[in-house]
Amino acid sequence: MKTCYKHVVFDLDGTVYNTEKAYMESLYCIVKKLMPNTKENVKTLSRFMGTAIPDIQKELGLDDDTFKTLCEEWIDGVTRYQDTIRPFDGIISVIALLKERGIHLGIVTSRDYRFTSKLGAVVSPLPVELTPYIKISISADKVENPKPAPDSLLKYMEMTGAKREEILYIGDTYNDYLCALNCGIDFGLAVWGTNLNKSVNCTHHFLNPWDIISAVFSYDSLNYRFYRWAKEIQAIGQIGLAFSTNVFDIERFNRLREISAEILSTMTEAPIEKVRDAILTDRGYITPKIDTRAAVFNENDEILLVKEAKNGKWSLPGGWCDESENIRSNTIKEVREEAGMAVNCVKFVGMLDKDKWNRSSQPFHILMALTICRYGDGQFVPNDETLERRFFKLEDIPVDELRVGTTTIEQIRLCFEALHTENWVPVID
């Protein structure tokens, strides 16, 4: 597996921590007190999320003494709301997984160490719960020009030796975006925490913290690249046949499909006839195929895996979505056929691009529809597809025995995270 980035750097407020209520409610109270005729409200003040303290003073047009009073009372106000400050769902799990996979992690934040002594750990530029994963935190008071200037990220590069192309910066504000842009590094917008009312031309838009995983990791062995090229050749040939009328063009596009089949047969050691049957019988404009997978949980917080007959590997139950089925009905059908169990779909985990999550040898572009199901009755009988069904706790998953073409430990962790998150936002690759 290739890492597209070696370093992932996070903003804190609005990205890792949901601090908007604590910061903006308390700020509005004191602004209204000091400026009775102000037209500001909680919503308009939210533009200051992720803004350095001196810039807030400048934009509000306050003299030093008034602003000093504002800061002191703002601190008291935040303290009253500190119980509302907590990490966004899933973000700590994602940070832990990035660390586990060898990614260097850092923080670039508009928080200021000078306020930590007054507010305590609740607004620390390096929160205690992140210290097992992150050692470097660059706060606004540590650079001459904080965000949106590039100084903070440049300082991170100086401290770590990281190159621009190795870094992904993730934040939620326009200042975060400008900081990355001014530094010349890739930026990912944390959509789950942003208040931006306009689009920004950034590298990634993350609807869910788990979207970060597929942006950071990808398969990139030489064989895998040949596999990707073969699929692209096949797609060009099939699309060409869908629209061509010229006899010579049809001959050329048919040859492209034949070349693709020969490459895939050579790479996978599958008989050429089998590969031809898989890809050359398809007609019309080529589109991705849908693989439906079920994350079935029992009352003990265990997930269902099935052992496949053809390889003895464990997998989430599932398979191709049949022509006459939809995602929900096909998911239920596959669990019934492979695990002998009646289930109900209760939560959609996401639509995953398997090129980003799995090492598949299939000659198609595949999207996986992943759904959480509630387990039900049913008698399991070993069959042509599956030898065994079993529920596992997360820590007991046989990682080395997973069929990674259909199920990875990252996808299983994703399912557990979705299960335990009340307001889950589906991952959409």
Side-chain angles (χ1 to χ4, degrees), residues 210 295-303 346-349 371-375 392 411-424:
W210 282 90
V296 184
F297 287 92
N298 64 13
E299 71 277 12
N300 297 319
D301 205 24
E302 297 172 322
I303 194 169
V346 295
K347 184 183 289 186
F348 188 58
V349 178
T371 307
I372 289 178
C373 299
R374 183 178 294 114
Y375 85 108
F392 293 89
Q411 288 166 329
I412 293 174
R413 288 179 177 176
L414 177 67
C415 294
F416 274 89
E417 194 75 41
L419 175 71
H420 296 138
T421 301
E422 182 178 357
N423 298 311
W424 176 256

Side-chain angles (χ1 to χ4, degrees), residues 132-184:
Y133 318 109
I134 301 176
K135 304 303 179 186
I136 297 176
S137 178
I138 300 170
S139 55
D141 56 303
K142 298 299 183 183
V143 293
E144 183 176 352
N145 300 298
K147 296 183 290 186
D151 297 30
S152 301
L153 285 171
L154 291 172
K155 185 174 182 66
Y156 177 85
M157 292 168 61
E158 178 185 340
M159 294 174 66
T160 62
K163 300 176 182 178
R164 283 178 170 82
E165 64 271 16
E166 297 175 334
I167 305 173
L168 171 63
Y169 181 48
I170 301 174
D172 67 296
T173 69
Y174 196 63
N175 279 350
D176 294 330
Y177 163 70
L178 290 177
C179 181
L181 182 68
N182 292 332
C183 193

Side-chain angles (χ1 to χ4, degrees), residues 1 66 114 129 152 163 168 183 193 203-204 232 236 244 256 310 342 350 370:
M1 181 174 283
T66 303
R114 290 170 294 185
E129 62 190 320
S152 301
K163 300 176 182 178
L168 171 63
C183 193
T203 312
H204 305 283
E232 185 175 358
I236 292 170
S244 295
L256 282 179
K310 62 182 177 182
L370 190 53

Side-chain angles (χ1 to χ4, degrees), residues 55-74:
D55 293 334
I56 297 176
Q57 178 183 3
K58 182 178 179 181
E59 185 162 342
L60 289 177
L62 300 177
D63 59 55
D64 289 346
D65 289 339
T66 303
F67 191 68
K68 181 179 179 182
T69 300
L70 182 146
C71 288
E72 290 173 350
E73 296 198 22
W74 191 7

Side-chain angles (χ1 to χ4, degrees), residues 86-304:
R86 56 178 60 90
F88 285 100
D89 290 334
I91 191 67
I92 301 298
S93 297
V94 169
I95 288 172
L97 181 56
L98 291 171
K99 176 69 173 179
E100 179 184 315
R101 289 302 178 93
I103 302 299
H104 302 284
L105 303 175
I107 293 169
V108 163
T109 177
S110 295
R111 291 187 181 186
D112 192 318
Y113 271 108
R114 290 170 294 185
F115 290 95
T116 305
S117 59
K118 299 178 180 179
L119 270 172
V122 69
V123 295
S124 171
L126 183 53
V128 173
E129 62 190 320
L130 296 184
T131 54
Y133 318 109
I134 301 176
K135 304 303 179 186
I136 297 176
S137 178
I138 300 170
S139 55
D141 56 303
K142 298 299 183 183
V143 293
E144 183 176 352
N145 300 298
K147 296 183 290 186
D151 297 30
S152 301
L153 285 171
L154 291 172
K155 185 174 182 66
Y156 177 85
M157 292 168 61
E158 178 185 340
M159 294 174 66
T160 62
K163 300 176 182 178
R164 283 178 170 82
E165 64 271 16
E166 297 175 334
I167 305 173
L168 171 63
Y169 181 48
I170 301 174
D172 67 296
T173 69
Y174 196 63
N175 279 350
D176 294 330
Y177 163 70
L178 290 177
C179 181
L181 182 68
N182 292 332
C183 193
I185 69 172
D186 285 355
F187 178 70
L189 181 66
V191 175
W192 60 83
T194 189
N195 281 309
L196 283 178
N197 54 13
K198 62 180 179 179
S199 295
V200 292
N201 187 27
C202 55
T203 312
H204 305 283
H205 287 80
F206 299 128
L207 298 179
N208 184 311
W210 282 90
D211 291 332
I212 298 168
I213 299 301
S214 60
V216 174
F217 300 105
S218 67
Y219 289 108
D220 194 48
S221 66
L222 182 59
N223 281 343
Y224 191 69
R225 275 180 277 171
F226 271 109
Y227 160 71
R228 293 287 301 273
W229 292 331
K231 288 204 303 180
E232 185 175 358
I233 292 170
Q234 144 64 12
I236 292 170
Q238 185 169 327
I239 292 170
L241 289 175
F243 295 102
S244 295
T245 57
N246 182 281
V247 64
F248 298 107
D249 285 341
I250 291 173
E251 182 179 341
R252 295 184 185 101
F253 287 127
N254 272 320
R255 180 56 189 148
L256 282 179
R257 300 185 79 196
E258 185 68 29
I259 291 171
S260 172
E262 291 170 3
I263 293 173
L264 290 168
S265 175
T266 301
M267 289 173 52
T268 61
E269 299 183 357
I272 185 67
E273 294 79 11
K274 182 178 179 180
V275 178
R276 284 197 187 105
D277 288 343
I279 67 174
L280 300 189
T281 56
D282 200 7
R283 293 290 184 268
Y285 194 89
I286 191 166
T287 59
K289 293 188 178 295
I290 303 297
D291 175 22
T292 64
R293 295 282 155 181
V296 184
F297 287 92
N298 64 13
E299 71 277 12
N300 297 319
D301 205 24
E302 297 172 322
I303 194 169
L304 177 71

Side-chain angles (χ1 to χ4, degrees), residues 210 214 219 352-358 408 410-411 429:
W210 282 90
S214 60
Y219 289 108
L352 309 184
D353 182 347
K354 292 188 71 171
D355 279 350
K356 297 181 179 180
W357 291 82
N358 302 88
T408 64
E410 289 85 4
Q411 288 166 329
D429 285 336

Side-chain angles (χ1 to χ4, degrees), residues 328-341:
R328 179 181 178 276
S329 65
N330 202 78
T331 300
I332 293 171
K333 177 180 72 68
E334 289 290 335
V335 178
R336 183 177 65 249
E337 293 176 351
E338 296 185 2
M341 182 182 294

Side-chain angles (χ1 to χ4, degrees), residues 365-384:
H365 186 194
I366 305 170
L367 302 179
M368 176 195 288
L370 190 53
T371 307
I372 289 178
C373 299
R374 183 178 294 114
Y375 85 108
D377 296 331
Q379 184 72 30
F380 176 75
V381 177
N383 55 71
D384 292 341

